[in-house]
């Protein structure tokens, strides 16, 4: 789960990371008022969206009067900000963070990620902050410092000092840098984060180390341990299809194709998507309805997949191991009878009680397209979609 910059800053600040003064606003008037409260004569207004690259996309603006703040934020509020990380649909701007503009001398990149190969938290840092890490690794790979943390002992001061040294932090600031690194590491581990990124971390003109940007991502499976973090979820920043699925306990990732997938098991869902592509189609989603595909879950999955306007055919691929095909087939039939869908539906069942399952589908009288192998199922879904397009009509599944 992602959170906003201002939320990440507040959290990291509690762990000892220094940040500029700032305040949140929900309207241009409030933004101007916040600036007055903060004092000073230069402010940065920052669109709060769950994506980076805001600066280049017009989501971060420097303002020198309350008037400028009103104008700049008026432009931003309610708009969708498109950055290279958001996709073409962008993310809605409903909150703006007003921050004191801080003169700085140097920008540093600092990231904490989970390194799967070493199974440890890895600190990635670079003296070339301000650019995205991808750009740094393309243009200045030699500037990147990597260091993994031994979990049994945690991040020790000497290791943090080594990182500060490798980044060329002036010696009088080493202690502040160590405090910043320690704070991020503690926040990362204590809050079950999967990513903490500060870009840029700056050395200010008055010799302080400050986080001018902050990003945190949390492990969704650990949120039950951190209710105060779970509360920070902002549905306005999520793909509405994904938030609906999450609310219904389904693992769903929306994609841009037009063949909807309903599959049990994440591995099988991945294989199904691959096979659809191999057959010349594009999956509209990843959807794992879980091992125990009850009729209710199947019905929820149908409603979810069918609510996606791009979906022009639905492929149900179920492998019944512990589950039973006849039971799943009942679920499919019940779901389609209760909620008719207006696109062709291809069903492939395999595993326990497959014969009974197929009989139930056949007996239902529903125009379900059946398939035996995964490849056949994918090909049928693709050709159902193509025929559908050429005739410009949709096969209706009715009661
Ligand atoms: P993003 O990474 O989404 O583009 P940032 O928060 O990193 O957004 O802001 C973009 C740039 O704006 C930063 O790299 C920094 O140069 C500048 N900036 C951001 N906040 C401040 C601030 N409080 N004072 C001065 N400059 C800032
Ligand atoms: Mg940034």
């Amino acid at each position: 789960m992602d959170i906003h910059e201002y939320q990440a800053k507040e959290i990291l600040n509690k762990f000892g990371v220094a940040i500029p003064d700032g305040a949140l606003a929900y309207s241009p008037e409030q933004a101007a008022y916040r600036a007055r409260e903060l004092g000073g004569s230069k402010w940065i207004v920052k669109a709060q969206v769950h994506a980076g690259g805001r600066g280049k996309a017009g989501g971060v603006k420097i303002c020198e009067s309350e008037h400028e703040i009103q104008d700049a934020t008026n432009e931003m509020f309610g708009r969708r900000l498109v950055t290279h990380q958001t996709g073409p649909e962008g993310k809605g701007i409903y909150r703006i963070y007003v921050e004191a503009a801080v003169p700085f001398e140097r920008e540093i990149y600092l990231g904490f990620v989970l390194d799967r190969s070493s199974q440890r938290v890895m600190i990635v840092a670079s003296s070339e902050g301000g650019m995205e890490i991808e750009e740094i690794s393309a243009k200045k790979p030699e500037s990147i410092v990597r260091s993994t943390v031994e979990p049994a002992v945690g991040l020790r001061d000497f290791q943090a000092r080594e990182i500060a040294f490798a980044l060329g932090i002036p010696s009088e600031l080493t202690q502040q840098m160590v405090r910043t690194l320690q704070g991020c590491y503690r926040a990362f581990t204590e809050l079950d984060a999967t990513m903490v990124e500060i870009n840029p971390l700056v050395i200010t003109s008055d010799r302080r180390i400050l986080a001018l940007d902050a990003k945190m991502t949390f492990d969704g499976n650990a949120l039950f341990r951190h209710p105060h973090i779970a509360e920070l979820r902002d549905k306005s920043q999520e793909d509405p299809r994904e938030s609906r699925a999450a609310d219904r306990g389904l693992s769903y990732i929306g994609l841009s194709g037009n063949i909807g997938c309903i599959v049990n098991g994440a591995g099988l869902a991945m294989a199904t998507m691959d096979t659809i592509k191999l057959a010349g189609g594009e999956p509209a989603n990843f959807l794992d309805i879980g091992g125990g595909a009850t009729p209710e879950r199947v019905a929820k999955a149908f409603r979810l997949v069918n609510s996606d306007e791009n979906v022009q055919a639905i492929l149900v691929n179920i492998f019944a191991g512990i589950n039973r095909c006849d039971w799943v087939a009942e679920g499919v039939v019940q779901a389609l009878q209760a909620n008719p869908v207006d696109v062709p539906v291809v069903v492939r069942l395999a595993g326990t009680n497959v014969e009974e399952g197929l009989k139930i589908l056949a007996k239902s009288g529903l125009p379900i397209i059946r398939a035996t192998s995964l490849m056949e199922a994918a090909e049928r879904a693709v050709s159902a979609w193509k025929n559908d397009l050429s005739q410009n009509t949709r096969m209706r599944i009715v009661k």
Side-chain angles (χ1 to χ4, degrees), residues 146-185:
R146 290 185 182 82
S147 185
T148 49
V149 183
E150 163 58 50
V153 291
L155 178 63
R156 311 307 299 201
D157 281 358
F158 79 88
Q159 191 180 357
R161 276 197 298 273
E162 268 174 12
I163 296 168
F165 185 71
L167 292 170
I169 304 284
S171 55
E172 76 272 19
L173 294 176
T174 310
Q175 211 33 51
Q176 280 190 46
M177 188 62 189
V178 169
R179 191 173 147 83
T180 305
L181 288 162
Q182 295 283 21
C184 292
Y185 178 76

Side-chain angles (χ1 to χ4, degrees), residues 233 235 238-250 303-304 307-308:
R233 181 174 168 200
K235 285 194 192 177
E238 296 175 2
D239 180 329
R241 299 174 297 180
E242 286 173 23
S243 3
R244 235 175 312 161
D247 290 343
R248 286 162 180 72
L250 300 165
R303 275 200 296 275
L304 183 71
S307 68
D308 180 349

Side-chain angles (χ1 to χ4, degrees), residues 52-54 130 132 197-200 213-214:
R54 297 165 302 166
E132 305 289 329
E197 188 187 62
I198 300 180
N199 187 25
D213 191 8

Side-chain angles (χ1 to χ4, degrees), residues 227-295:
H228 60 293
I229 302 287
E231 269 172 21
L232 303 179
R233 181 174 168 200
D234 180 358
K235 285 194 192 177
S236 77
Q237 301 295 307
E238 296 175 2
D239 180 329
R241 299 174 297 180
E242 286 173 23
S243 3
R244 235 175 312 161
D247 290 343
R248 286 162 180 72
L250 300 165
S251 310
Y252 178 97
I253 310 283
L255 301 167
S256 54
N258 38 35
I259 300 184
C261 306
I262 298 178
V263 188
N264 68 330
L268 190 60
M270 299 295 281
T272 306
M273 287 162 44
D274 283 349
T275 317
I276 289 172
K277 286 195 97 129
L278 191 63
E282 288 290 334
N285 64 276
F286 165 96
L287 171 55
D288 170 14
I289 60 173
T294 60

